[in-house]
Amino acid sequence: MARYLIGLTGGIAAGKSELSRRFEALGITVADADVAARAVVAPGSEGLARIVAHFGPGIVLADGQLDRATLRERIFASPQERQALEAITHPAIRTLLRATCEQAAGPYAMAAIPLLTEAGGRGQYPWLDRILVVDVPVAVQHARLLQRDGITAELADRMIAAQASREARLALADDVVANDGPPDHLQAQVEHLDRLYRTLAANRG
């Protein structure tokens, strides 16, 4: 059972997935909020049943899966519908992330939460002992989005602007990993933090 829980977050294209992989390579469980979000609306789940109750049976495909395209149209057309969906899914996602982390083997575990800042930060995740932000300048995010996704510069700007600001994320951080340098620089930061978190977990007893 992990005794110490870390929240990992960062802006789009900052390198959260790469950081997660490097911690996992050191034997650390990383619970992914995106994976949890799919699990809580899987066929047969309470979350899906509540979504159907609110949005109607037309929100489910013939194979029993959530019709994400239709749901996306509904919530983007109405802030009230988006809030209704979040009220159903967000508490379930938080509960699943916490359970996954607490049940993990090892001295500490991580929850990778891309929208931690936007979702209310520590107020919504009081069980996190520490928050780690992977950080890059906005210009680096922009360049990576163009290369990674093959999108226009205008769309990249909109995607970055739709998230919390870099300053807002950094204001939450206990620890920061700068991910705008060479890969070996990133690995050194991960290994330093791994030693720190193992020490903090051990000191908790």
Side-chain angles (χ1 to χ4, degrees):
M1 302 286 283
R3 295 186 298 274
Y4 207 82
L5 307 182
I6 312 294
L8 168 61
T9 193
I12 190 168
K16 295 179 297 298
S17 296
E18 179 62 25
L19 209 63
S20 293
R21 283 191 290 271
R22 290 176 185 253
F23 276 102
E24 286 173 334
L26 295 173
I28 299 305
T29 294
V30 181
D32 189 323
D34 291 336
V35 174
R38 291 190 290 273
V40 301
V41 297
S45 66
E46 179 185 351
L48 182 58
R50 293 182 61 194
I51 288 172
V52 171
H54 179 85
F55 291 93
I59 210 72
V60 176
L61 297 168
D63 63 359
Q65 298 282 342
L66 178 64
D67 186 344
R68 295 178 184 279
T70 297
L71 182 61
R72 193 177 302 118
E73 290 177 9
R74 293 273 296 273
I75 64 173
F76 277 121
S78 166
Q80 291 79 17
E81 292 285 58
R82 179 176 58 80
Q83 290 166 6
L85 176 66
E86 290 174 351
I88 294 169
T89 59
H90 284 194
I93 291 168
R94 290 194 295 269
T95 297
L96 182 55
L97 285 174
R98 183 176 187 177
T100 302
C101 285
E102 291 181 341
Q103 293 164 11
Y108 72 93
M110 286 188 157
I113 310 167
L115 301 180
L116 176 59
T117 309
E118 295 84 345
R122 295 179 192 278
Q124 293 297 319
Y125 290 87
W127 45 270
L128 292 174
D129 295 298
R130 208 166 175 93
I131 292 176
L132 168 60
V133 171
V134 55
D135 177 60
V136 295
V138 172
V140 173
Q141 287 180 274
H142 192 273
R144 286 179 181 171
L145 282 171
L146 296 184
Q147 181 178 23
R148 185 188 77 182
D149 297 351
I151 59 177
T152 65
E154 179 187 4
L155 179 55
D157 286 335
R158 289 209 308 270
M159 291 170 71
I160 293 169
Q163 294 192 331
S165 69
R166 182 185 184 191
E167 293 74 18
R169 279 191 299 273
L170 290 172
L172 280 181
D174 296 294
D175 306 297
V176 178
V177 165
N179 190 26
D180 55 350
D184 57 343
H185 179 57
L186 183 62
Q187 185 63 25
Q189 294 179 85
V190 169
E191 291 175 359
H192 166 75
L193 287 169
D194 178 63
R195 290 191 296 271
L196 171 64
Y197 298 152
R198 287 175 187 274
T199 299
L200 290 171
N203 289 341
R204 170 161 289 176

